[in-house]
Structure formats: structure tokens, C-alpha cells
């Protein structure tokens, strides 16, 4: 696995782990944390969303406007795109 792919996998797993622990993901903070663009974090979140919605029953990745962060929820509200 090349270095860039390894970094991507590490980012995605780190964010997914925190989402599973009910911690919110803020794109801007993640971009700074990992030294990448917000667009890169957006793509990573889309990968996480795809995994959750195809492999996890009744779980969804949703954006909480009040908290300004993404969370895994157990009931689908208005499905917000990244």
C-alpha cells in the first residue's frame, strides 16, 4: 500500500472510531488535524457514509447544524449531503 493510501485509510478509521464513540466530526478541525483540505475530509466522510448506509442497519451519518458536526445517528432524518 502506498503512503498516501495508508494516510487516507488511517484518517478514515480514526474518524470512524470517533464517530462510533459518539464524538462529532468537524470538517475544518479534521483538515487541520490531518494536514489536508476540507474537500479531502468531505470525501473521507462520504466514504464513511457509504460504508455505514450499506453495511450498518439503521445507522446514518448526519450533519447536526446546532453542533456544527457530523454524527452517526440511529434514525434517518432529513438526509444531509456533505
Amino acid at each position: 500500500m502506498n503512503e498516501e493510501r495508508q494516510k487516507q485509510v488511517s484518517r478514515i478509521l480514526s474518524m470512524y472510531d470517533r464517530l462510533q464513540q459518539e464524538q462529532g466530526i468537524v470538517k475544518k478541525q479534521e483538515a487541520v488535524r490531518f494536514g489536508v483540505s476540507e474537500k479531502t475530509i468531505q470525501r473521507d466522510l462520504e466514504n464513511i457514509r457509504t460504508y455505514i448506509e450499506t453495511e450498518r442497519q439503521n445507522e446514518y451519518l448526519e450533519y447536526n447544524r446546532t453542533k456544527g458536526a457530523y454524527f452517526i445517528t440511529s434514525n434517518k432524518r432529513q438526509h444531509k449531503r456533505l
Side-chain angles (χ1 to χ4, degrees):
M1 181 182 307
N2 71 32
E3 187 176 340
E4 286 304 310
R5 179 71 173 148
Q6 197 169 19
K7 287 179 183 179
Q8 178 191 30
V9 169
S10 179
R11 269 194 325 270
I12 290 171
L13 289 174
S14 174
M15 288 189 289
Y16 181 70
D17 183 52
R18 284 181 285 130
L19 286 164
Q20 288 291 95
Q21 295 174 32
E22 299 180 3
Q23 296 177 24
I25 298 294
V26 177
K27 283 194 292 187
K28 189 171 196 164
Q29 291 175 354
E30 296 305 306
V32 170
R33 178 179 179 197
F34 290 109
V36 297
S37 69
E38 287 185 52
K39 184 71 174 170
T40 295
I41 298 301
Q42 182 175 325
R43 285 190 293 267
D44 292 345
L45 287 169
E46 189 60 40
N47 285 327
I48 293 169
R49 180 192 306 279
T50 299
Y51 170 75
I52 289 170
E53 291 185 357
T54 58
E55 301 296 327
R56 311 282 301 181
Q57 281 192 330
N58 300 318
E59 288 186 353
Y60 306 93
L61 181 65
E62 294 188 325
Y63 183 73
N64 181 312
R65 285 185 184 188
T66 305
K67 296 181 180 180
Y70 291 87
F71 292 89
I72 292 177
T73 63
S74 59
N75 53 352
K76 192 170 188 174
R77 293 180 212 122
Q78 293 178 334
H79 187 71
K80 296 283 181 193
R81 298 306 300 166
L82 303 170

